Amino acid sequence: MDATVWLTIAAVVALGLAIGAGVLLVRVFAARRLLLDAGIPLRDKALFWVAVIYTVSPVDLIPDPVYLDDIGVLLLALRSLHAAAAAVRPGATAAVKPTAAKEPDPA
């Protein structure tokens, strides 16, 4: 394989990581509302902030060119935060389901 193929593969991988990081950033900003909720346990809020600090810190389990460990830790923290919100307020993080229109009683 020549250098052009490797450069193309590297560009596609970098683009995929950038898109994944962008989606994750949107989810982090959406989680701000949950962090202000008084019903969410402090443990889950602290786990989220620890994951954010780990993501921006220079210390990594896997060297920095590969952000899989950072993304994985942050995704686990977001999942834990959403699970805690769902336990406190059932249906708070679930998608709104459309309800069927009821027929009026003929009586």
Side-chain angles (χ1 to χ4, degrees):
M1 297 176 112
D2 61 348
T4 307
V5 173
W6 286 112
L7 186 60
T8 304
I9 291 171
V12 168
V13 169
L15 182 64
L17 284 174
I19 290 171
V23 168
L24 189 58
L25 184 64
V26 169
R27 289 186 66 188
V28 167
F29 281 124
R32 288 184 310 168
R33 179 178 43 88
L34 294 176
L35 292 172
L36 298 176
D37 189 358
I40 306 293
L42 180 61
R43 181 197 65 183
D44 293 305
K45 291 179 183 180
L47 177 65
F48 174 78
W49 287 114
V50 167
V52 169
I53 290 169
Y54 175 78
T55 301
V56 297
S57 76
V59 178
D60 282 333
L61 295 175
I62 301 174
D64 247 349
V66 180
Y67 294 108
L68 294 178
D69 61 329
D70 298 333
I71 291 171
V73 166
L74 200 50
L75 281 175
L76 286 174
L78 283 171
R79 180 180 231 176
S80 171
L81 188 64
H82 283 283
V88 171
R89 298 178 311 193
T93 59
V96 177
K97 295 179 182 176
T99 58
K102 291 185 177 180
E103 295 279 332
D105 280 339

